[in-house]
Amino acid sequence: MTKINVITNKNTFTIKHGSFQSDVMSGLSGLKKTLPCRWLYDNLGSELFEEITRVPEYYPTRTETIILQTYIREIADFAGRNAILVEYGAGAGIKTETLIAALQSLALDCYIPVDIAGEFLEETASRIQGKFPHLSIKPVVSDFMTDFALPPNLLGTRRVAFFPGSTIGNLSPKQAGDFLRRMRNHVGPEGAAIIGFDLKKDVETMISAYDDKAGITSKFNLNLLTRINRELEGNFELSRFKHSARWNEEESAIEMHIVSLEEQIATVGMFNFHFRAGETIHTESSRKYDVKGFEMLANANGWKMDHIWRDSDNKFGIAGLR
Ligand code: AVI
């Protein structure tokens, strides 16, 4: 792993490249301040995200579940008999249960949940095992954004990648392309993929999904400053910042920002970071696709769009790729 040596007037110390500390140091030092969205998910952040999925304005989770339930027979037919289901970023695996239940009747062979959070993954695996005792479950603890191998001895059976939740929207176009190609390598030429993505729609609906009236998304975003204060000895005063959700037309993305309400200096460890009034830290992009755009992304990275399932209001799409 690459390391960055930081020299101060007293000491030299080492920061691991890709760590929270290194991302905060470099992200707050740039001309435009930015932090990778994966750091939003400490324990409280993960709980707040679960809460977001239940607020009335946040339509993606609810809509995707309705689509899965409505078209589950078709989706199961698409996956085919004796499939091995690989779920990337399995998390709580709630949607997977709906899918596995349908795939069971088509004789699903094996379920491989992949997640970086080992403990969470064990819980998900054992809960699903309890419900489907005859299903073979092989959890893989890994960051799905890096190269990793699936368990061996899976040859000869059809593999289906599952990536629900519009998590693909949180990846940059380059990351999404790399990820789609990794999926293709994992499932092989005979494999398939089922991917949930959020559809572009009127700006007001999208913005309010990321700026709910109850203020849960605001708490979720600002919790990043609390995390910096706790883990990196920061002194951010939360009352001097606010959450903001913005539409970026060029990127076709809703962006979350943390806005500095005044000119100020915040300290992280022994470093000072200056904020102008109104200056922001960009903490997340959530890309919204139209069907054509998603198809082009898939085509450019080794896939063909075979099916698209949508809700009646055209809010969300589930793509079946081959
Ligand atoms: C996890 N991800 C798909 C969510 C999204 O919609 O981009 C994260 C989120 N951020 C704010 N609200 C929800």
Side-chain angles (χ1 to χ4, degrees), residues 41 49 52 58 60 165-167 170 209-210 217 220 256 284-286 288:
Y41 299 90
F49 175 63
I52 288 172
Y58 191 76
S166 77
T167 307
N170 296 134
Y210 292 81
T217 310
F220 172 65
M256 289 207 310
E284 183 190 70
S285 287
S286 204
K288 311 300 171 190

Side-chain angles (χ1 to χ4, degrees), residues 173-191:
K174 155 117 183 42
Q175 287 174 323
D178 290 349
F179 178 68
L180 285 169
R181 286 196 302 282
R182 182 172 307 121
M183 262 184 180
R184 173 46 96 196
N185 287 338
H186 280 162
V187 302
E190 301 303 317

Side-chain angles (χ1 to χ4, degrees), residues 97 100 104 125-135 137:
E97 285 181 33
I100 293 176
Q104 275 303 87
S126 62
R127 199 189 62 245
I128 291 183
Q129 190 74 83
K131 293 201 176 169
F132 307 102
H134 301 297
L135 182 66
I137 302 183

Side-chain angles (χ1 to χ4, degrees), residues 263-311:
E263 178 166 14
Q264 56 183 312
I265 289 175
T267 299
V268 181
M270 58 182 75
F271 297 91
N272 291 332
F273 296 99
H274 175 262
F275 287 84
R276 298 184 308 277
E279 189 178 359
T280 78
I281 310 174
H282 176 192
T283 52
E284 183 190 70
S285 287
S286 204
R287 268 159 241 282
K288 311 300 171 190
Y289 291 93
D290 53 30
V291 174
K292 193 79 211 136
F294 194 80
E295 186 172 13
M296 279 164 61
L297 176 71
N299 289 347
N301 293 288
W303 294 94
K304 288 254 170 308
M305 180 112 86
D306 195 86
H307 270 73
I308 172 89
W309 294 279
R310 275 177 282 190
D311 58 300

